[in-house]
Amino acid sequence: VDASHSIDDREYALQLAGIAAAIRDPGVLAAIRAGATGRIGIALATWGEPRQPKDATPWHLVHDAASAERFARRVEDHRRRVGGGTGIGHAVLFCIDLFKGNGLAGKRRVIDISGDGSETAPRDWNVTPGQARQAAVARGIPVNGLVLLSDEADLDAYYEAHVIGGAGAFGNRPRLSPSRR
């Protein structure tokens, strides 16, 4: 979740509310229960300026409505502590590290990045979103992008080109021609 200075309080709340609503959704819960293990591990991470500390919740196992509700409430109550510029590349690397030693033996790992802007021009050494995406994909971790189209009109195209990647990621699905839909 983007918590940089370009995100206003309404946009921050929108990101959290969307995640909470999604995890509570009966269709999402049915998909979780229909999976190979009937549960998922999930954590929330907030990010901003590459030099600022990132923030993350502990990992939660979601397998039923009660566990989904516990995580949704944790998300809704997540306090904003990050600021500065937009450090997508460092956010992806931070999320890769969250998987290490989390005590979960998941068969699939995914990073979902939400934000309202492209990478801020680096002030110091920086990892680009494309480099971080390559690091994730090399580890078998697809990166999805969820954009808030409030500040940059073509941000969805930027995310397609620089952030999203890996097998099964948003934007990497085959596109059908109108005659095949």
Side-chain angles (χ1 to χ4, degrees), residues 8-27:
D8 63 29
D9 290 341
R10 182 188 63 78
E11 291 171 327
Y12 185 73
L14 176 67
Q15 291 176 97
L16 297 184
I19 293 166
I23 203 67
R24 287 179 174 128
D25 183 89

Side-chain angles (χ1 to χ4, degrees), residues 39-64:
R39 63 188 181 171
I40 64 168
I42 188 169
L44 172 79
T46 57
W47 55 274
E49 178 76 33
R51 293 178 290 174
Q52 295 288 329
K54 314 302 179 258
D55 192 24
T57 68
W59 284 87
H60 293 260
L61 286 177
V62 174
H63 55 88
D64 60 13

Side-chain angles (χ1 to χ4, degrees), residues 103-174:
L104 303 174
K107 296 180 182 191
R108 185 163 188 257
R109 300 170 296 167
V110 177
I111 297 170
D112 294 326
I113 294 284
S114 61
D116 75 340
S118 55
E119 184 83 7
T120 302
R123 294 180 187 102
D124 292 323
W125 177 87
N126 199 22
V127 61
T128 68
Q131 290 167 329
R133 173 187 57 199
Q134 288 175 331
V137 171
R139 289 165 175 79
I141 305 170
V143 180
N144 293 320
L146 307 161
V147 300
L148 293 121
L149 292 173
S150 55
D151 296 337
E152 294 182 36
D154 295 328
L155 187 62
D156 52 344
Y158 175 86
Y159 266 60
E160 279 276 342
H162 302 285
V163 179
I164 298 168
F170 299 165
N172 287 340
R173 302 185 194 287

